[in-house]
Amino acid sequence: MRVYKKWYARFLLITSATILCISCAEKKQPKEPDQHPNILWVFLEDTAPLMGPYGTTIISTPNIDSLAQQGVVYTNVFMPAPVCSASRSSIITGVMSTTTGTHNHHSSRTEESAIYLPDSLKTIPELFKQAGYFTFNNGKDDYNFMYDRKDLYTQDYKLHPLYGKSGVHVNLDSLKNQQPFFGQIQLKGGKEIFSKTFKDNVKTPVDRSKIALPPYLPDHPAIIEEYANHLDAIQITDKKIGEIIQDLRENDLLENTIVFFFSDHGMRLTRNKQFLYDGGLHVPMIIADFTKNFAKLAPGTINESLISGLDIGIGSLALADIAVPNYMEGLNMFDNAYNREYVISTRDRCDFTIDRIRSVRSKEYKYIRNFMTDRPYTQPTYMDFDGIEFVKVMHQLHNDKKLNSTQDIFMSDERPEEELYHLLSDPFELNNLAKDIKYDNVVKAYSNILDDWIIKTDDQGQYPENEENLKLMLGIWGKHAINPEYDALREKYPDLEGSKVSLKSASAKLIGINK
């Protein structure tokens, strides 16, 4: 961490002069801030902390750098799940998705498979709304529970049969008389690569020859290209960040706004997304307090505290002076007594791929428990269905025995029940210490933490998933759904397999706020 601090000090020196010039040029007469600050989440998808404030120098991220200079860079933020809907369902409630039964990806997409939250459980936007805030979410919700969107957000929205609800954009220039507001602006982040204009949008592509892959990935053109595309997607995202901040400034909203910048989970790549290694869970987070009213958000600082994605909503409520309900499992990251010892993360069904993994992460160790050791890490996923090039390459290199021993571990048919990594000496989580007798006490301690958590929260992943959600997965993904949990459904519904694949490309329906 010392190396990081030295680098960040240099980063601050380089950027501070630029920010000072911008500030001087745009300086206005100070105005009296509203009693409650606006809270704006700039919420990315599938994005790793590979950008200027986190030490990445082979791409240019001037707007993210500027945000960091004016805010706090959080270096140890880990998400409750490594896939969109489970992570977002946790963040928006402040409660682990495994507690509410919303842990399986793309659940509650039909009335038959509906999961409802308890009436007493109010989501983060509902609490803001009850406190008098105007609330909106520009872009996808992706929550695994049924809800009346009008209770959460005040805007028209679109409804997709698989991907759920997404808010029609509320323009920032319409918010001058809607303060205070709690808003979210969804950005594609790592998913910029799916845009038809992706390559055209990249003005200065990263130099592929300068990319250094993590040691669990082979030096192969397809893998390098996937990694490079992610970096280029971050450059596109950086431009959009600049546009958002400028839009806030031009509409006289910035000086009463606290901006949160973070991702729902890590990048799409082998061993990252959908898995509980840091590549799937570690995300960037920068919080910039443009109100300049909160001492814990001093500009140009680094926060190395261990933070769960659950804490984002709780911290947002605290900044707005809104009481945090006792049922919320996140912690207030701005509390003087804040000291999270570990982050628990969970992986369950992702699309049609059924699995159950749990992890306990402190700053020193990561403990992982694999509950389904009968199936390999690399059982078929949506990326096999879509024929993603780097996935095919990894399988081919494994079959041709061209991966080294480190790279081949994840491709093996064998999967241990327990994994333990000493993160300070092994940041890429390569050397599993779970069977090393010198670490027996550590394994036991972390295993007990997980066992206690499973009992205390009644982790819903320990129970079979309802038939209706699995029917939808079998209907969409067809023959790729190879887990034994689908066998009985194939017999019971012989015409179901693959019959609903058209839902993936179906059009979304526009729903008016008054309907």
Side-chain angles (χ1 to χ4, degrees), residues 44-52 54 56 59 64 189-190 227 230-231 234 261 263-269 272 278-285:
L44 312 185
E45 298 191 66
D46 299 35
T47 306
L50 298 173
M51 50 195 67
Y54 292 87
T56 299
I59 57 172
I64 297 173
Y227 199 89
H230 189 75
L231 291 171
I234 289 174
F261 165 85
S263 177
D264 54 5
H265 55 75
M267 68 186 291
R268 180 187 85 159
L269 202 55
N272 288 11
D278 279 3
L281 299 171
H282 188 204
V283 299
M285 185 168 78

Coordinates of all heavy atoms in Angstrom, one line a residue, residues 44-52 54 56 59 64 189-190 227 230-231 234 261 263-269 272 278-285:
L44 N -21.6 2.2 -12.6 CA -21.0 1.5 -13.8 C -21.4 0.0 -13.8 O -21.7 -0.6 -12.7 CB -19.5 1.6 -13.8 CG -18.9 3.0 -13.6 CD1 -17.4 2.9 -13.8 CD2 -19.5 4.0 -14.5
E45 N -21.2 -0.6 -14.9 CA -21.3 -2.1 -15.0 C -20.0 -2.7 -15.3 O -19.2 -2.1 -16.1 CB -22.3 -2.5 -16.2 CG -23.7 -2.0 -16.0 CD -24.7 -2.6 -17.0 OE1 -24.9 -3.8 -17.0 OE2 -25.2 -1.8 -17.9
D46 N -19.7 -3.8 -14.7 CA -18.6 -4.7 -15.1 C -17.3 -4.0 -15.2 O -16.5 -4.2 -16.2 CB -18.9 -5.4 -16.4 CG -20.1 -6.2 -16.4 OD1 -21.1 -5.9 -15.7 OD2 -20.1 -7.3 -17.1
T47 N -16.9 -3.1 -14.2 CA -15.7 -2.3 -14.4 C -14.7 -2.5 -13.3 O -15.0 -2.5 -12.1 CB -16.1 -0.8 -14.4 OG1 -17.1 -0.6 -15.4 CG2 -14.9 0.0 -14.7
A48 N -13.5 -2.8 -13.7 CA -12.3 -3.0 -12.8 C -11.7 -1.7 -12.4 O -11.8 -0.7 -13.2 CB -11.3 -3.9 -13.4
P49 N -11.0 -1.6 -11.3 CA -10.3 -0.4 -11.0 C -9.0 -0.2 -11.8 O -7.9 -0.1 -11.2 CB -10.0 -0.5 -9.5 CG -10.0 -2.0 -9.2 CD -10.9 -2.6 -10.2
L50 N -9.1 -0.1 -13.1 CA -8.0 0.0 -14.0 C -8.1 1.4 -14.6 O -8.5 1.6 -15.7 CB -8.0 -1.1 -15.1 CG -7.9 -2.5 -14.6 CD1 -8.1 -3.5 -15.7 CD2 -6.5 -2.7 -13.9
M51 N -7.7 2.4 -13.8 CA -7.8 3.8 -14.2 C -6.8 4.6 -13.5 O -6.2 4.1 -12.5 CB -9.3 4.3 -14.0 CG -9.8 4.0 -12.6 SD -11.6 4.2 -12.5 CE -12.2 2.8 -13.5
G52 N -6.7 5.9 -13.8 CA -5.6 6.7 -13.3 C -5.5 6.7 -11.8 O -4.4 6.5 -11.2
Y54 N -6.1 4.6 -9.7 CA -5.7 3.3 -9.1 C -4.4 2.8 -9.7 O -4.0 1.6 -9.6 CB -6.8 2.3 -9.3 CG -8.1 2.6 -8.5 CD1 -9.0 3.5 -9.0 CD2 -8.2 2.1 -7.2 CE1 -10.1 3.8 -8.2 CE2 -9.3 2.4 -6.5 CZ -10.3 3.3 -7.0 OH -11.4 3.6 -6.2
T56 N -3.2 2.9 -13.0 CA -3.1 2.5 -14.4 C -2.7 3.7 -15.2 O -3.3 4.8 -15.2 CB -4.5 2.0 -14.9 OG1 -4.9 0.9 -14.2 CG2 -4.4 1.6 -16.4
I59 N -3.6 4.2 -20.1 CA -4.7 4.9 -20.7 C -4.9 6.3 -20.0 O -4.4 6.5 -18.9 CB -6.0 4.1 -20.6 CG1 -6.4 3.8 -19.1 CG2 -6.0 2.9 -21.4 CD1 -7.7 3.2 -18.9
I64 N -12.0 11.2 -14.6 CA -12.0 10.3 -13.4 C -10.8 10.8 -12.5 O -11.0 10.9 -11.2 CB -11.8 8.9 -13.7 CG1 -13.0 8.4 -14.5 CG2 -11.7 8.0 -12.4 CD1 -12.9 7.0 -15.1
G189 N -20.0 1.3 -18.7 CA -18.7 0.8 -18.2 C -18.1 -0.2 -19.0 O -17.9 -0.1 -20.2
G190 N -17.8 -1.4 -18.4 CA -17.1 -2.5 -19.2 C -18.0 -3.0 -20.3 O -17.5 -3.6 -21.3
Y227 N -8.8 -7.8 -22.7 CA -8.3 -6.9 -21.6 C -8.1 -5.4 -22.1 O -8.5 -4.5 -21.5 CB -6.9 -7.4 -21.1 CG -6.5 -6.9 -19.8 CD1 -6.8 -7.6 -18.6 CD2 -5.7 -5.7 -19.6 CE1 -6.4 -7.1 -17.3 CE2 -5.3 -5.3 -18.4 CZ -5.7 -6.0 -17.3 OH -5.2 -5.5 -16.0
H230 N -11.4 -3.7 -22.5 CA -11.9 -3.2 -21.2 C -11.3 -1.8 -20.9 O -12.0 -0.9 -20.4 CB -11.6 -4.2 -20.1 CG -12.3 -3.8 -18.8 ND1 -13.6 -4.0 -18.5 CD2 -11.8 -3.3 -17.6 CE1 -13.9 -3.6 -17.3 NE2 -12.8 -3.1 -16.7
L231 N -10.0 -1.7 -21.1 CA -9.3 -0.4 -20.9 C -9.9 0.7 -21.8 O -10.1 1.8 -21.3 CB -7.8 -0.6 -21.1 CG -7.1 -1.4 -20.0 CD1 -5.7 -1.7 -20.5 CD2 -7.1 -0.8 -18.6
I234 N -13.1 1.9 -20.5 CA -13.0 2.9 -19.4 C -12.7 4.3 -19.9 O -13.1 5.3 -19.4 CB -11.8 2.4 -18.4 CG1 -12.3 1.1 -17.7 CG2 -11.4 3.4 -17.5 CD1 -11.3 0.4 -16.8
F261 N -19.1 7.4 -7.4 CA -18.7 6.8 -8.7 C -18.2 5.4 -8.3 O -17.3 5.2 -7.6 CB -17.6 7.6 -9.3 CG -16.8 6.9 -10.4 CD1 -17.3 6.9 -11.7 CD2 -15.6 6.2 -10.2 CE1 -16.5 6.3 -12.7 CE2 -14.9 5.6 -11.2 CZ -15.4 5.6 -12.5
S263 N -18.7 0.7 -9.5 CA -19.2 -0.3 -10.4 C -20.0 -1.4 -9.6 O -19.7 -1.5 -8.4 CB -18.1 -0.9 -11.1 OG -18.5 -2.0 -12.0
D264 N -20.8 -2.2 -10.3 CA -21.6 -3.2 -9.6 C -20.7 -4.4 -9.3 O -21.0 -5.2 -8.4 CB -22.8 -3.6 -10.4 CG -22.6 -4.0 -11.9 OD1 -21.4 -4.0 -12.3 OD2 -23.5 -4.2 -12.6
H265 N -19.7 -4.7 -10.1 CA -18.7 -5.8 -9.9 C -17.6 -5.7 -10.8 O -17.5 -4.7 -11.6 CB -19.4 -7.2 -10.0 CG -20.1 -7.4 -11.3 ND1 -19.5 -7.6 -12.5 CD2 -21.5 -7.3 -11.7 CE1 -20.3 -7.7 -13.5 NE2 -21.5 -7.5 -13.0
G266 N -16.7 -6.7 -10.9 CA -15.5 -6.6 -11.7 C -15.7 -6.9 -13.2 O -16.9 -7.1 -13.6
M267 N -14.6 -6.9 -13.9 CA -14.7 -7.0 -15.3 C -15.0 -8.5 -15.8 O -14.7 -9.4 -15.2 CB -13.4 -6.6 -15.9 CG -12.2 -7.5 -15.6 SD -10.6 -6.8 -16.2 CE -10.8 -6.9 -18.0
R268 N -15.5 -8.5 -17.1 CA -15.7 -9.8 -17.7 C -14.4 -10.4 -18.2 O -13.8 -9.9 -19.1 CB -16.7 -9.6 -18.9 CG -17.0 -10.8 -19.7 CD -17.7 -10.5 -21.0 NE -16.9 -10.2 -22.1 CZ -17.2 -10.3 -23.4 NH1 -18.4 -10.7 -23.7 NH2 -16.4 -10.0 -24.3
L269 N -14.0 -11.5 -17.6 CA -12.8 -12.1 -18.0 C -12.7 -13.4 -17.2 O -13.3 -13.6 -16.1 CB -11.5 -11.3 -17.7 CG -10.3 -11.6 -18.6 CD1 -10.6 -11.6 -20.1 CD2 -9.2 -10.6 -18.3
N272 N -12.8 -13.8 -13.3 CA -13.2 -12.5 -12.7 C -14.7 -12.5 -12.5 O -15.2 -12.9 -11.5 CB -12.8 -11.4 -13.6 CG -11.3 -11.2 -13.5 OD1 -10.5 -12.0 -13.0 ND2 -10.8 -10.1 -14.1
D278 N -10.8 -11.5 -6.2 CA -10.9 -10.1 -6.3 C -11.2 -9.5 -7.6 O -11.8 -8.5 -7.8 CB -9.6 -9.5 -5.7 CG -9.5 -9.5 -4.2 OD1 -10.4 -10.0 -3.6 OD2 -8.5 -8.9 -3.7
G279 N -10.8 -10.2 -8.7 CA -11.1 -9.8 -10.0 C -12.6 -9.6 -10.3 O -13.0 -8.9 -11.2
G280 N -13.4 -10.4 -9.6 CA -14.9 -10.3 -9.7 C -15.6 -9.4 -8.8 O -16.7 -9.0 -9.0
L281 N -14.9 -9.1 -7.7 CA -15.5 -8.3 -6.6 C -14.9 -6.9 -6.3 O -15.6 -6.0 -5.8 CB -15.4 -9.1 -5.3 CG -16.1 -10.5 -5.2 CD1 -15.7 -11.2 -4.0 CD2 -17.6 -10.4 -5.3
H282 N -13.7 -6.7 -6.6 CA -13.0 -5.5 -6.3 C -13.4 -4.4 -7.4 O -13.2 -4.6 -8.6 CB -11.5 -5.7 -6.4 CG -10.7 -4.5 -5.9 ND1 -9.4 -4.2 -6.3 CD2 -11.0 -3.4 -5.1 CE1 -9.0 -3.1 -5.7 NE2 -10.0 -2.6 -4.9
V283 N -13.9 -3.3 -6.9 CA -14.4 -2.2 -7.8 C -13.8 -0.9 -7.5 O -13.3 -0.7 -6.3 CB -15.9 -2.1 -7.8 CG1 -16.5 -3.4 -8.2 CG2 -16.4 -1.7 -6.4
P284 N -13.7 0.0 -8.4 CA -13.4 1.4 -8.1 C -14.5 2.1 -7.3 O -15.7 1.8 -7.6 CB -13.2 2.0 -9.5 CG -14.1 1.3 -10.4 CD -14.1 -0.1 -9.8
M285 N -14.2 3.0 -6.5 CA -15.2 3.9 -5.9 C -14.5 5.2 -5.5 O -13.5 5.2 -4.8 CB -15.8 3.3 -4.7 CG -17.0 4.2 -4.2 SD -18.1 3.5 -2.9 CE -17.1 3.7 -1.5

